[in-house]
Amino acid sequence: MTVEQIAKALGYEILAGKMISREIKSVYCCDLLSFVMGRAPADSAWVTVMGNVNAVAVALLADVSCVVFAEGVKPDGAAIEKAGQNEIVLLGSPAPIFDTARAIAEAAGL
């Protein structure tokens, strides 16, 4: 499924980015940025609560399809601006990290 389809199916808010047609091929959960850089699969939905500009930089390096902020976390203004500049899609979920990841995996048939 695409980022847009997941966002619509699960009611996630699109907080930034326009590359919503990108496919989601896996889900990755982690808040330790150095782990994400080295371990997040490309084309994954990265679920985190790290809402700062560093998360956007890591998302770009890891080539994830989108960053999903769980627990109702909203990225700060600098993160939203940097995501827009680099075509990184940021989504918002009110659910806990595990529930968010499970919902994405189920909706995408992963």
Side-chain angles (χ1 to χ4, degrees):
M1 291 183 87
T2 67
V3 172
E4 179 180 29
Q5 290 168 324
I6 290 291
K8 284 183 181 178
L10 300 175
Y12 295 164
E13 180 181 4
I14 299 174
L15 304 167
K18 295 184 170 113
M19 293 290 294
I20 57 176
S21 62
R22 190 163 174 189
E23 291 287 325
I24 294 175
K25 297 181 180 177
S26 64
V27 182
Y28 186 79
C29 303
C30 189
D31 291 325
L32 187 57
L33 299 181
S34 60
F35 269 48
V36 177
M37 281 190 291
R39 299 177 184 188
D43 301 316
S44 63
W46 171 28
V47 184
T48 185
V49 295
M50 299 294 294
N52 61 38
V53 71
N54 294 332
V56 175
V58 168
L60 186 61
L61 288 171
D63 195 28
V64 297
S65 295
C66 61
V67 180
V68 185
F69 295 103
E71 307 271 353
V73 168
K74 300 286 186 191
D76 63 29
I80 291 172
E81 182 178 339
K82 191 59 120 177
Q85 292 169 353
N86 290 284
E87 298 183 352
I88 302 294
V89 177
L90 307 180
L91 303 177
S93 166
I97 291 173
F98 176 79
D99 296 336
T100 298
R102 181 176 55 191
I104 294 168
E106 288 175 357
L110 302 174

